[in-house]
Amino acid sequence: MIDLWEGLRQAFWLVATADPELAEIALRSLRITLSALVLACLIALPLAALLAVKRFRLRRTVIAILNALMGLPPVVVGLVVYVILSRSGPLGALGLLFTPTAMIIAQMIVIVPLIASIAHQSLRELWHEYHDLLISMNVTQGQKMRTLLWDARRALLTAALAGFGRGIGEVGAIMIVGGNIDHVTRVLTTAIALETGKGEFALALALGFVLIALAIAVNLTIHWLGQTEREGRW
Amino acid sequence: MSELFPLSVKGAVTRRHGKVLVGPVDLELDGAGTCVILGPNGAGKTSLLRLLHGTARLHAGEITWGCGTEAARNAQAFVFQRPVMLRRSVGENLAYPLRLRGTPRTEARARARDWAARVGLSGLFDRQATVLSGGEQQKLATARALIGDPGLLFLDEPTASLDGRATREMEEILAKARANGTRLVLSTHDMGQARRLADRVIFLLGGKVHEEGAAEGFFSAPRTPEAQAFLKGDIVE
Ligand SMILES: Nc1ncnc2c1ncn2[C@@H]1O[C@H](COP(=O)(O)OP(=O)(O)O)[C@@H](O)[C@H]1O
Ligand SMILES: [Mg+2]
């Protein structure tokens, strides 16, 4: 229990004094996960919309695979990305291993199936509702997808938040491809793992509290942004 | 829009799981007035409307328009028995078909305002469409179908779940559309409505056109015993 209180005290202290190292690590966490989230949404949302409106032979298979990949172990993703980006790997020449870019790629792969699956659920429901109308209006495939994505934007926000939550708290993949290098690829979760390993529980806890606070802050901000556009806009 | 007609239907059939929903149907339709499809529940009214509109698969026979199928498709609109509301405001629902066809935002909005006024929904312009009453939703769906100035409008039992006043308002909207040159094809099992609106009647029974012709003739002197019974209000199956 001493450790918990000590952790709280230190966390408070680190935040209150705007500890530069903590700020650097937290901002890096935020930057990497938000980048991964934006890229993941660019892939996952159109994919989810396509799966909702288009009937093709392997549709069910793709959906089943996406659902299965939701539980993808990040460590394995990290390993695969590591192999691909390592010097002797197919993309080794890019020199991306142990850079924030590699971490963004790995996190993106971890959260794409999650976002796509959750988004697909709500888009499919909405498509069921809109189907007759949009078919009657003879709209193109692209117009169908855009209509669904726009009208389901609230639910999609929730999907994105779930993706953010999984990304910001993820450690296995980014530890492997990032290497937890001080001032380069160290983020909150990898720092926590490091401090815990060193027996610095108080500091690890402090970082953990900051991580939680960050996650809550981002959730609240995005929700608040969603609220402000509530009334009809043109 | 007149090149949409004549609509010519020859031996058209649509099936579902091997069962014939409607057909074979032979019909000729020209470009004016209101055609009412009558018949008991399950007679195939909805199926026929969907078949003509092109959203039910044509399994046999042919349907030809005065113009190409794709052009015909874009010159017609459909109002469903249970209105489908986009999860948007009333104004955005009205503007949606215009925006689909590339009408600029401000123009689409202006025309949406105009149509909201025409159907008495001005006060609800910024309201979420999904919270409107059944009558308001049906008026909105009809205005949204008419805003693109279709040459032909299908309506599937448009007033089936509406009360007297909402029904009258709907019929006024339809009368205006007809006067503006939109060809109306609607199904109903409200005999009073059929008498008020129809120029022409198609009486369906068991998925087939049982009797068909000018409204006056049909209502004053139906030829078949089933149509006579149906008009008297007897149960016809
Ligand atoms: N999706 C469907 N699958 C199977 N049978 C259907 C389907 N839709 C309608 N039917 C059947 O087709 C017949 C005609 O239906 P419908 O066109 O809805 O009649 P109406 O609109 O005149 O009540 C009915 O017997 C109905 O049960
Ligand atoms: Mg019906």
Side-chain angles (χ1 to χ4, degrees):
Chain A
M1 274 300 104
I2 301 281
D3 281 343
L4 192 60
W5 286 117
E6 181 57 20
L8 267 174
R9 202 186 60 78
Q10 276 208 30
F12 185 75
W13 186 246
L14 287 173
V15 173
T17 58
D19 182 74
E21 191 162 347
L22 175 71
E24 185 198 314
I25 293 178
L27 280 179
R28 188 177 297 117
S29 271
L30 204 55
R31 204 173 58 231
I32 288 176
T33 300
L34 285 179
S35 307
L37 181 64
V38 169
L39 293 175
C41 284
L42 287 178
I43 297 171
L45 299 184
L47 175 64
L50 188 72
L51 287 171
V53 303
K54 195 167 160 66
R55 295 283 168 269
F56 52 95
R57 211 153 43 87
L58 291 177
R59 188 176 141 269
R60 279 177 184 288
T61 318
V62 174
I63 293 169
I65 291 174
L66 270 183
N67 284 331
L69 289 185
M70 270 205 287
L72 202 63
V75 181
V76 178
V77 175
L79 181 61
V80 172
V81 174
Y82 183 98
V83 169
I84 292 172
L85 294 183
S86 65
R87 224 159 261 299
S88 54
L91 297 181
L94 299 177
L96 289 177
L97 199 60
F98 304 136
T99 66
T101 307
M103 299 160 79
I104 292 172
I105 294 172
Q107 272 203 356
M108 183 191 80
I109 295 173
V110 169
I111 63 179
V112 158
L114 179 70
I115 298 176
S117 293
I118 300 178
H120 176 248
Q121 294 282 341
S122 36
L123 292 176
R124 193 180 52 181
E125 250 171 59
L126 191 61
W127 177 236
H128 192 71
E129 212 175 297
Y130 282 8
H131 175 272
D132 287 354
L133 180 69
L134 297 194
I135 296 295
S136 155
M137 286 182 168
N138 203 16
V139 302
T140 65
Q141 207 76 273
Q143 287 172 328
K144 282 178 203 166
M145 287 167 57
R146 256 174 283 146
T147 302
L148 289 185
L149 287 171
W150 178 248
D151 286 5
R153 59 194 180 280
R154 251 156 225 285
L156 300 184
L157 199 62
T158 310
L161 284 178
F164 177 81
R166 179 152 158 116
I168 194 89
E170 191 277 317
V171 59
I174 53 173
M175 181 72 103
I176 294 180
V177 303
N180 195 22
I181 303 167
D182 206 5
H183 299 304
V184 183
T185 58
R186 181 159 302 163
V187 292
L188 284 169
T189 52
T190 56
I192 290 172
L194 179 73
E195 298 304 333
T196 307
K198 291 198 301 197
E200 296 277 354
F201 297 117
L203 184 54
L205 274 173
L207 291 163
F209 291 131
V210 171
L211 177 62
I212 292 171
L214 200 62
I216 292 176
V218 168
N219 266 273
L220 289 179
T221 308
I222 296 183
H223 259 295
W224 175 75
L225 286 176
Q227 297 282 315
T228 51
E229 65 98 52
R230 164 158 294 167
E231 281 312 313
R233 47 164 283 183
W234 283 80
Chain B
M1 286 303 162
S2 57
E3 74 254 41
L4 198 51
F5 298 100
L7 161 64
S8 165
V9 181
K10 293 200 181 75
V13 174
T14 186
R15 297 194 194 98
R16 186 84 183 214
H17 308 305
K19 176 179 175 280
V20 173
L21 299 188
V22 73
V25 172
D26 295 282
L27 270 182
E28 291 283 330
L29 213 61
D30 60 11
T34 301
C35 174
V36 171
I37 300 177
L38 281 173
N41 269 327
K45 300 183 292 295
T46 301
S47 304
L48 178 59
L49 289 170
R50 282 166 40 79
L51 183 62
L52 297 179
H53 183 47
T55 52
R57 190 148 151 229
L58 182 66
H59 285 94
E62 57 177 13
I63 296 178
T64 52
W65 302 87
C67 55
T69 314
E70 191 62 18
R73 203 43 211 287
N74 288 326
Q76 47 181 283
F78 199 107
V79 174
F80 301 95
Q81 182 165 1
R82 284 185 45 209
V84 181
M85 293 290 107
L86 298 171
R87 295 184 193 169
R88 302 180 179 201
S89 69
V90 168
E92 287 165 318
N93 264 275
L94 287 169
Y96 182 74
L98 300 177
R99 299 284 294 143
L100 280 181
R101 294 184 192 179
T103 309
R105 196 172 284 262
T106 43
E107 188 192 331
R109 184 174 163 79
R111 280 174 66 187
R113 279 223 177 271
D114 176 40
W115 270 95
R118 288 199 218 181
V119 299
L121 293 175
S122 286
L124 301 170
F125 194 74
D126 290 316
R127 192 74 56 84
Q128 211 42 42
T130 42
V131 305
L132 301 186
S133 73
E136 288 161 348
Q137 289 195 356
Q138 197 58 280
K139 284 194 288 183
L140 173 54
T142 308
R144 187 181 57 197
L146 286 168
I147 200 167
D149 218 358
L152 168 61
L153 176 63
F154 294 105
L155 302 104
D156 191 10
E157 308 209 21
T159 59
S161 55
L162 304 187
D163 64 14
R165 184 167 141 231
T167 298
R168 184 164 46 75
E169 288 172 352
M170 270 297 292
E171 289 184 8
E172 281 164 11
I173 294 169
L174 296 182
K176 274 187 216 154
R178 177 182 178 282
N180 283 334
T182 296
R183 182 44 147 145
L184 301 175
V185 177
L186 65 107
S187 71
T188 183
H189 56 230
D190 174 347
M191 208 51 63
Q193 178 167 68
R195 285 178 200 273
R196 286 191 295 277
L197 298 180
D199 299 301
R200 186 167 163 195
V201 173
I202 295 172
F203 178 58
L204 278 186
L205 202 58
K208 296 210 167 51
V209 177
H210 196 74
E211 189 168 335
E212 192 255 324
E216 287 153 40
F218 180 82
F219 289 120
S220 57
R223 294 186 300 274
T224 61
E226 289 82 2
Q228 288 160 9
F230 188 75
L231 286 180
K232 266 194 291 173
D234 291 350
I235 292 166
V236 178
E237 282 169 293

